[in-house]
Structures are given as structure tokens and as C-alpha cells.
Amino acid sequence: MPPRKIIIDTDPGQDDAVAILLALASPEELEVLAITAVAGNVPLDKTSRNARVICELAGKPDVPVHEGCDRPMERVLVTAEHVHGASGLDGIELPEPTMPVADLHAVEAIIHHVRREPRGSVTLCPLGPLTNVATALTRAPDIAERLAGIALMGGAYFEVGNVTPAAEFNIYVDPEAADIVMKSGVDITILPLDVTHKALITRDWLDRIEALGTPVSKVVCAWLDFYERFDVEKYGGAGGPLHDPCVIAWLLRPELFSGRRINVEIECQSDLTRGMTVADWWGVTDRAANALFIGDIDADGFFDLLAERVARL
Ligand code: BDR
Ligand code: CA
């Protein structure tokens, strides 16, 4: 089978970074057409820089990195330096990237690739707020039926929220964009906190990565040591959740995950519950299913896959 064509829309972020490395380490299964940066964890200039740092670290400076929207569709940008550090990629000093930013705006790049590639061959992988993706769907509605699907990290049902009591960060930052995506008719898979909070980084796994002794493994350990400190303090327990790599792992090994095809709507009105993913997990409404909502993961299998792929870089 030829590799699946993907576009990674992202706001790196250490967990975004590991997701990108996982995809770039898997060329037999995944062809990364482009990386599109969006404002989220940190402002756009930093997410663009970080995406290019990650490509160069992986030895893939030819993957085009496009800069996209610098703020949500209708709201003021909310960022997460308290989790990811001032740079978004705190944990280790890395050289400034030398690869250029690609010419097209990220929204135009998404539209371009989806229109140019065969119908049903491109999957979008949003790992941050959905601003770029929703803007592309609004500007070029024809791409909805051309997409193979959208596999995104965002939302929660049983875990409810991480940035407010009701909402997960990526959806909270741009709920109007999430609403557009959920209503797009595209085949959507959601990797919510319900599953990523079962993908907890452990000391043993970090030791295993460190033992690889490669430049990339050293960087991954430094990033994740920094990144998980916030969540370990917040939630207690063993380790921080490794959110965004779940999206790429789902593409590579869907058998590691399970979920339900359900209706998911986004709360855009209420100040109290802004960005809540109202997920009909129990089928208590007659609203039509619009997403595969993942609920469970084989965490050992997930971390084995990640270690195996990090070792390739
Ligand atoms: C999501 O928010 C970001 O901080 C992470 O990169 C992840 O995409 C988790 O809520
Ligand atoms: Ca992210």
C-alpha cells in the first residue's frame, strides 16, 4: 500500500513535536505533504519556528512548513506558556532553524494539496486549535468531500476539561472553528483527553528513550521532562499525558485504540462552558453521529511504537 498522505496542522508544543517526529519516522505508512502552523500553545511566530526546528532535528528540512492564522476566528488568542514554556519548546536549547517558511499561507496550502491530490487521499491531522482547518473549509467548501478524513486531538467527555472545568485547550481556544469542523460532513476521528490521559509518560519509558543514546532521543527526553512537570504537579501520579502523538499513532496502528461513532457538538455560546465538546457517548439524543470518538488505548503498545520509531531518527 502506498503511504497515506497527511497534512499536520500544529502549534508545537513538545507533544506536537513528538507527534511530528513519529510521523516523519514513518515514511512507509505516512507521507507528510506539509506542516501548517497555527497560533495556539504559543503565538504563530513561535509555532512556525518550532515546526522548522523539529523538521531539522528529524533531518527533514524539505518538508514545507507554512504559517497560518495568528489568532482564532472570532476571539482573542489564549496561549499555554505555563505548560510548554516561553518558547513553546522549552527543555533544551536547539539551533535556530535555517530552512525557510514555505511561500503559501497555511490555509491556501491546505486547499492546494487537497484539490491537487486524488479525491479521498489526504487526511488532515490537527494537533492544535482548528483555526487553519476551519478557515480552509469555509473558504473552499469543496475540499470537504475531497478529504479522506480529519484525525484531531481535542475535546473530552469523561475527563471534561483541562483548561477550564468544561473544556479542553485546543477546542477552547477556537470553539467557532471546532464547530465548523464538526459540522463539515468530513469523516472525523477525535482523540480526546479521555484517551490521552491514559497515555501517561513513565520514568521507565523515558529511561528507555534515553538509552537509545541518539541526538533525537536526548532532545525528546529533555522536552518531555520539561513538559510533564506541569501535569504531574496538577494531576499527581506517575507521568504527564502525551496528547498529540495519539493522533499519529491512531493512523499507524488503529488496533491500539477503540471508540464509538457518536454525535459531538461544540458549545460556543456559554461563557461558563465555552469550548465544551458535548459528546453523546451514551446515545441519549437522536442527533446524527458525526465523529469517531476514541475512548481507550493500549498504552504499552503506543509507547512501544513510539520508542521503535524514535530509534529510527
Ligand atoms: C492539547 O493542548 C496543547 O497544550 C497540547 O499540545 C495538546 O494539543 C491538549 O489539551
Ligand atoms: Ca498541540
Side-chain angles (χ1 to χ4, degrees), residues 189-191 195-196 199 243 245-259 292 294-299 301-302 305:
T189 301
I190 299 179
L191 285 295
V195 66
T196 67
H243 306 285
C246 288
V247 168
I248 306 299
W250 181 79
L251 295 177
L252 294 169
R253 295 271 187 281
E255 67 278 9
L256 295 175
F257 298 85
S258 60
L292 174 60
I294 303 294
D296 218 342
I297 182 174
D298 169 354
F302 167 74
L305 172 69

Side-chain angles (χ1 to χ4, degrees), residues 153 155-159 191-202 205 227 231 235 238-246 256-260 281-282 293-304 306:
M153 190 281 134
Y157 177 66
F158 293 99
E159 291 284 320
L191 285 295
L193 297 181
D194 304 334
V195 66
T196 67
H197 280 191
K198 294 172 183 160
L200 299 179
I201 303 160
T202 63
W205 185 79
Y227 159 85
D231 282 329
Y235 299 115
L242 196 47
H243 306 285
D244 294 338
C246 288
L256 295 175
F257 298 85
S258 60
R260 294 184 184 182
W281 183 262
W282 299 113
F293 200 80
I294 303 294
D296 218 342
I297 182 174
D298 169 354
D300 290 341
F302 167 74
F303 281 104
D304 283 348
L306 210 44

